[in-house]
């Protein structure tokens, strides 16, 4: 009998935790139950009409249906647009030729960056809890990710920056081989934790002292509340010497399915990613790239005037409704999630069983924290309107009373 060949890279990947949640959601649907779904970070509203019309216009133009120019880096118009976005939002100057690469979503771009720049045995520090690809991109490519717990106040999700910097420096000092990369992700997924520009200033100084690269992910940069504004590490003088940053249109503009992201900053890292992409893809469909450029050049106010206010309204409503139902959670400053500690009376279940019980008995779905490396929390996505949030809160109250 033929013995199956093992695929070592794939065998490193854990079982997909969300599969159990998806199965229960499907079962509930078959039973005629409507589950209020807070489990996925997938915007529930469509892309703005003006962006859609831009795409249609570019699709109808002649000469836009072939391979796109840019050798995998993205067309020049799009790279100029992202550089313009950085200049407008952060007063950061970027060279669209050497310091920007357009990617098929920030996730693809991040993975291929790691594939391009890591060697077997490289050490990378990643946040804990972690968005899974932030750790597994390194391990799949032969590097070693080490989790550094992000210390933050669960009332407002502000990071204890001095403590976090201390944890990073200590982790660097105890390694037998030099740490090559430090990955940071603020606003943080899954916890929503936030930092100030001062944190980035000190981290850049530490990177130059200890000789490591910084990879910053600001996928939720535009979704901020209560006057908080997400800083960019590239605002720090000299940051491009050591840092690269990822951004995406997915969340800010309800364009998750369009798959448009960017990596910008350090020329060596950007160049490595661009070279790899020139070998493995021809870039996104050109009309998608042109519509994305229009979004960043003409329709960028959508994020500030429509997207962020919508999530803030939902955050405010959900925090109030769930607290009144008996689930005491804090108030994040940013992102489209709430990172919630499992209620004390349900803590014995662990995050996966708690999520399963919520679907079965409260008709609501959230993401188990164990998928991100923390079994005491769950992630709640703000992808339901206020009416659905209240419906979930009413059933949640009964569920929690039954857990006592």
């Amino acid at each position: 009998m033929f013995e199956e060949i093992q695929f070592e890279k794939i065998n490193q990947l854990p079982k997909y935790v969300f599969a159990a949640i998806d199965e229960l959601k499907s079962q509930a649907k078959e039973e005629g139950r409507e589950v209020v779904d807070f489990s996925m970070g997938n915007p529930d509203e469509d892309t703005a009409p003006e962006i859609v019309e831009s795409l249609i216009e570019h699709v109808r133009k002649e000469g836009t249906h072939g391979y796109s120019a840019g050798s995998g880096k993205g067309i020049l118009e799009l790279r100029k647009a992202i550089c313009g976005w950085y200049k407008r939002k952060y007063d950061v100057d970027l060279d669209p030729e050497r310091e920007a690469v357009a990617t098929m979503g920030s996730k693809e771009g991040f993975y291929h960056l790691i594939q391009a720049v890591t060697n077997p045995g490289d050490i990378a520090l990643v946040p804990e809890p972690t968005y899974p690809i932030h750790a597994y991109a390194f391990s799949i490519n032969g590097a070693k990710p080490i989790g550094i717990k992000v210390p933050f106040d669960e009332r407002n999700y502000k990071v204890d920056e001095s403590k976090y910097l201390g944890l990073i420096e200590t982790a660097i000092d105890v390694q037998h081989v030099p740490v090559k990369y430090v990955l940071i992700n603020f606003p943080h997924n899954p916890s929503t934790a936030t930092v100030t520009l001062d944190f980035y200033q000190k981290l850049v100084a530490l990177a130059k002292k200890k000789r490591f690269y910084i990879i910053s992910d600001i996928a939720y940069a535009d979704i901020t509340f209560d006057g908080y504004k997400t800083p960019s590490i590239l605002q720090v003088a000299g940051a491009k010497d050591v840092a690269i940053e990822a951004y995406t249109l997915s969340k800010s503009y309800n364009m998750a399915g369009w798959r448009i992201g960017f990596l910008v900053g350090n020329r060596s890292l950007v160049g490595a990613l661009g070279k790899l992409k020139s070998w493995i893809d021809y870039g996104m469909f050109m009309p998608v790239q042109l519509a994305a450029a229009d979004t960043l050049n003409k329709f960028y106010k959508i994020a500030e005037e429509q997207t962020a206010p919508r999530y803030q309204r939902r955050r405010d409503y959900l925090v109030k409704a769930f607290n009144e139902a008996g689930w005491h959670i804090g108030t994040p400053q940013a992102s489209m999630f709430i990172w919630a500690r499992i209620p004390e009376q349900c803590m014995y279940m662990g995050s996966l069983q708690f999520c399963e019980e919520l679907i079965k008995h409260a008709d609501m779905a959230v993401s188990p924290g164990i998928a991100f490396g923390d079994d005491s929390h769950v992630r709640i996505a703000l992808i339901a309107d206020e009416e659905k949030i209240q419906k979930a809160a009413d059933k949640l109250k009964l569920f929690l009373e039954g857990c006592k």
Side-chain angles (χ1 to χ4, degrees):
M1 181 179 290
F2 180 77
E3 184 176 343
E4 288 190 359
I5 299 171
Q6 295 298 307
F7 307 115
E8 293 183 11
K9 284 188 176 182
I10 296 302
N11 289 341
Q12 293 180 56
L13 297 174
K15 183 178 179 181
Y16 187 58
V17 175
F18 297 111
I21 304 302
D22 291 340
E23 185 177 333
L24 286 172
K25 287 190 294 185
S26 297
Q27 182 180 328
K29 186 176 181 180
E30 290 176 3
E31 295 171 356
R33 293 189 288 122
E34 183 182 354
V35 173
V36 180
D37 193 354
F38 302 106
S39 64
M40 297 299 291
N42 189 23
D44 59 312
E45 297 195 3
D46 289 335
T47 308
E50 53 264 55
I51 299 174
V52 174
E53 287 302 316
S54 172
L55 175 62
I56 293 170
E57 177 185 336
H58 291 300
V59 167
R60 287 176 172 160
K61 287 181 180 177
E62 293 183 1
T64 63
H65 289 213
Y67 290 129
S68 62
S71 302
K73 295 192 301 182
I75 61 173
L76 182 58
E77 293 98 320
L78 182 52
R79 285 180 278 128
K80 284 183 175 180
I82 187 61
C83 294
W85 182 87
Y86 264 91
K87 181 64 176 177
R88 186 170 56 245
K89 189 175 180 72
Y90 293 120
D91 195 26
V92 169
D93 293 307
L94 291 165
D95 178 355
E97 290 288 2
R98 302 178 64 190
E99 296 175 344
V101 175
T103 61
M104 298 174 189
S106 59
K107 188 174 182 179
E108 175 270 318
F110 171 75
Y111 178 83
H112 283 135
L113 170 70
I114 303 311
Q115 187 177 46
V117 302
T118 53
N119 301 316
D122 283 349
I123 295 179
L125 305 185
V126 300
E128 189 177 273
T130 185
Y131 181 55
I133 195 63
H134 284 162
Y136 284 103
F138 288 104
S139 58
I140 291 171
N141 288 293
K144 179 182 178 182
I146 297 174
I148 305 297
K149 189 169 182 62
V150 180
F152 60 90
D153 188 330
E154 293 204 32
R155 294 168 297 180
N156 56 25
Y157 301 88
K158 293 181 180 179
V159 171
D160 183 335
E161 296 177 6
S162 296
K163 184 175 182 179
Y164 191 34
L165 287 163
L167 291 171
I168 291 172
E169 186 165 13
T170 297
I172 291 169
D173 289 342
V174 300
Q175 302 306 317
H176 296 298
V177 297
V179 169
K180 191 171 182 179
Y181 301 103
V182 171
L183 186 139
I184 51 175
N185 167 215
F186 297 110
H188 181 226
N189 183 11
S191 78
T192 78
T194 55
V195 295
T196 65
L197 184 59
D198 184 64
F199 170 80
Y200 289 140
Q201 290 169 336
K202 292 175 180 175
L203 184 62
V204 167
L206 183 63
K208 292 185 176 185
K209 175 184 174 183
K210 298 291 185 177
R211 297 182 59 79
F212 60 82
Y213 284 116
I214 303 165
I215 303 171
S216 170
D217 179 353
I218 58 168
Y220 300 91
D222 292 314
I223 305 175
T224 60
F225 320 126
D226 306 324
Y228 174 76
K229 299 296 182 185
T230 301
S232 164
I233 195 169
L234 299 179
Q235 290 175 273
V236 178
K240 286 191 288 186
D241 295 339
V242 294
I244 190 171
E245 190 159 72
Y247 173 74
T248 173
L249 274 66
S250 294
K251 317 302 182 181
S252 303
Y253 301 98
N254 294 339
M255 295 171 72
W258 294 53
R259 311 312 304 136
I260 306 162
F262 308 92
L263 278 99
V264 299
N266 180 269
R267 292 185 177 188
S268 294
L269 298 179
V270 165
L273 173 59
K275 185 174 183 178
L276 178 65
K277 285 179 66 62
S278 73
W279 280 88
I280 63 177
D281 74 67
Y282 286 105
M284 296 165 279
F285 185 38
M286 197 183 307
V288 169
Q289 296 191 62
L290 291 166
D294 286 342
T295 300
L296 294 169
N297 289 331
K298 303 175 185 178
F299 312 129
Y300 57 88
K301 289 188 177 180
I302 288 173
E304 180 181 348
E305 296 177 355
Q306 298 179 31
T307 308
R310 179 174 66 253
Y311 286 119
Q312 180 162 350
R313 289 192 301 270
R314 293 178 178 184
R315 178 207 64 171
D316 293 344
Y317 198 99
L318 190 145
V319 169
K320 183 175 184 294
F322 279 28
N323 272 280
E324 289 175 350
W327 192 352
H328 302 296
I329 55 181
T331 304
Q333 294 180 299
S335 93
M336 59 185 291
F337 305 114
I338 293 178
W339 184 240
R341 183 176 293 276
I342 298 171
E344 198 61 40
Q345 67 268 38
C346 304
M347 187 65 78
Y348 70 92
M349 298 181 188
S351 63
L352 182 56
Q353 184 184 348
F354 177 66
C355 290
E356 292 172 342
E357 294 299 311
L358 279 179
I359 295 176
K360 292 176 183 177
H361 302 294
D363 291 333
M364 62 178 285
V366 298
S367 294
I370 192 62
F372 308 97
D374 183 335
D375 206 25
S376 63
H377 288 73
V378 296
R379 193 189 71 176
I380 305 168
L382 299 170
I383 54 171
D385 61 27
E386 288 86 341
E387 182 180 348
K388 290 180 179 178
I389 291 171
Q390 187 60 58
K391 181 179 179 180
D394 292 341
K395 293 186 178 182
L396 173 67
K397 188 177 189 327
L398 297 174
F399 171 76
L400 293 178
E401 288 173 351
C403 281
K404 293 179 181 178

